């Protein structure tokens, strides 16, 4: 009996100790062992300055250059080569532009084409200011796009060029100067876009389409922006040979030669006083 009581006491003590632990499987503590807690690193918070400076950022790659879209099958070149150039981007009198560049800079073909007109002499005079002579020495070509391109105020025209000569985009056509009515200005290139007409319709070749948007594109690398559609749309609207509307007539003045001839004319002679008719003699039978 004594041994039985002792066994009961032991069992009671064991049961009481089990109930003293946290809820869980009997005899198993729910607390993490002290060793496990010590092994778990505490959050370090914001990295220190030394840590940040030790991080090396990868070098940025070079930007990918995307070529401009091809918007036509034609390729163009900016008409001045090898020199710094600037140009007007607004309409002054005619739809053309003045490209300012040093004397002797190259005027080049803006597109493959055929030479249309050439003027090798500077016939412009301020006393007459004739429209056909205002561009001085010039070259115009008809591009493979059907558009006419004119470069005027040239100092010289390239040798061996003649109407009908084939040219390539970038080929030198002449050297920039200030011939024509640009004689009192800085050297420049008179640049105009139009369509083919006969020489009698010189006002058409002086410019029909505003060129600066195309010059902007060719200068910045978009070499396929073409004035063809705009040019032929305008030709359909106004006709192939529209009447001249701007700067059409030259100056109507008397030339010094005519004035000199008028001053050299001899003065008119005063009519002589007629002498009295003699009375015929009775013996003169010739007046009868």
């Amino acid at each position: 009996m004594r041994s039985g009581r002792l066994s009961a006491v032991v069992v009671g003590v064991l049961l009481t100790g089990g109930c003293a632990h946290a809820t869980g499987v009997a005899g198993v503590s729910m607390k993490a062992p002290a060793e496990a807690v010590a092994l778990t690193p505490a959050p370090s918070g914001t990295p220190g300055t030394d840590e940040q400076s030790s991080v090396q950022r990868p070098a940025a790659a070079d930007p990918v250059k995307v070529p401009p879209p091809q918007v036509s099958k034609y390729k163009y070149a900016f008409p001045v080569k090898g020199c710094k150039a600037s140009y007007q981007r607004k309409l002054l009198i005619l739809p053309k532009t003045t490209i300012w560049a040093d004397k002797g800079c190259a005027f080049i073909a803006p597109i493959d084409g055929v030479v249309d007109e050439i003027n090798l002499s500077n016939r412009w005079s301020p006393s007459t200011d004739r429209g056909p002579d205002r561009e001085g020495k010039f070259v115009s070509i008809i591009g493979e796009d059907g558009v006419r391109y004119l470069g005027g105020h040239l100092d010289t025209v390239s040798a061996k060029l003649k109407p009908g000569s084939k040219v390539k985009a970038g080929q030198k056509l002449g050297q920039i100067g200030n011939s024509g009515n640009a004689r009192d200005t800085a050297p420049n290139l008179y640049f105009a876009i139009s369509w083919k007409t006969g020489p009698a319709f010189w006002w058409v070749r002086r410019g029909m389409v505003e060129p600066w948007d195309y010059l902007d594109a060719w200068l910045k690398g978009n070499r396929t922006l073409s004035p063809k559609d705009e040019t032929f749309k305008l030709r359909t609207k106004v006709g192939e040979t529209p009447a001249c509307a701007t700067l059409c007539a030259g100056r109507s003045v008397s030339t010094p030669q005519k004035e000199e001839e008028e001053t050299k004319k001899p003065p008119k002679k005063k009519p002589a006083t007629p002498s009295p008719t003699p009375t015929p003699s009775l013996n003169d039978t010739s007046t009868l």
Side-chain angles (χ1 to χ4, degrees):
M1 290 295 293
R2 190 180 236 179
S3 62
R5 287 179 182 177
L6 183 60
S7 298
V9 171
V10 171
V11 170
V13 171
L14 290 172
L15 290 173
T16 304
C19 292
H21 289 287
T23 307
V25 179
V28 180
S29 174
M30 293 301 293
K31 290 184 179 180
E35 301 91 298
V37 173
L39 290 174
T40 304
S44 60
T46 307
T49 306
D50 293 340
E51 288 184 47
Q52 289 182 344
S53 61
S54 64
V55 177
Q56 297 294 327
R57 293 180 179 272
D62 293 334
V64 178
K65 294 183 179 180
V66 179
Q70 183 170 339
V71 292
S72 78
K73 66 179 182 179
Y74 308 107
K75 286 189 177 180
Y76 298 86
F78 189 78
V80 176
K81 184 177 181 180
C83 292
K84 184 178 179 180
S86 61
Y87 49 92
Q88 295 167 329
R89 299 193 74 265
K90 61 182 179 179
L91 182 64
L92 296 177
I93 298 176
L94 296 170
K96 56 86 183 178
T97 193
T98 301
I99 303 179
W100 303 99
D102 290 339
K103 186 173 183 178
C105 292
F107 163 51
I108 63 172
I111 188 175
D112 294 356
V114 177
V115 174
D116 179 38
E117 291 182 79
I118 291 180
N119 183 29
L120 298 174
S121 58
N122 185 17
R123 294 189 291 264
W124 183 80
S125 169
S127 63
T128 56
D129 192 27
R130 294 182 65 250
D133 302 334
R134 289 188 178 112
E135 280 68 66
K137 299 177 183 179
F138 69 82
V139 178
S140 71
I141 69 168
I142 305 299
E144 63 177 355
D145 57 0
V147 177
R148 175 164 59 184
Y149 302 90
L150 168 75
H153 297 333
L154 300 179
D155 184 55
T156 60
V157 174
S158 296
K160 298 183 179 179
L161 279 185
K162 60 183 180 180
S165 298
K166 292 183 178 181
V167 295
K168 303 293 285 185
Q171 180 177 335
K172 184 177 178 180
L173 303 179
Q175 291 183 312
I176 291 175
N178 56 350
S179 61
N181 64 350
R183 74 173 192 177
D184 297 324
T185 70
N188 66 83
L189 178 70
Y190 183 108
F191 185 74
I193 297 176
S194 63
W195 52 84
K196 182 175 176 60
T197 58
F201 301 96
W202 50 266
W203 54 88
V204 176
R205 75 165 180 247
R206 299 200 73 211
M208 299 297 292
V209 174
E210 297 175 357
W212 39 81
D213 287 341
Y214 304 103
L215 292 174
D216 288 347
W218 304 341
L219 185 61
K220 294 177 181 177
N222 187 353
R223 298 180 57 198
T224 61
L225 186 63
S226 175
K228 178 179 179 179
D229 291 345
E230 183 182 1
T231 301
F232 287 101
K233 182 179 180 180
L234 180 61
R235 188 181 74 170
T236 300
K237 180 180 179 180
V238 302
E240 184 175 343
T241 54
C244 183
T246 306
L247 296 176
C248 302
R251 295 176 184 171
S252 185
V253 296
S254 299
T255 63
Q257 184 178 0
K258 286 185 177 180
E259 292 176 356
E260 188 177 347
E261 288 177 355
E262 289 178 359
T263 58
K264 287 185 177 180
K265 286 181 180 179
K268 291 181 180 180
K269 293 182 179 180
K270 293 181 180 181
T273 303
S275 57
T277 303
T279 303
S281 169
L282 294 176
N283 297 327
D284 189 355
T285 60
S286 61
T287 58
L288 297 176

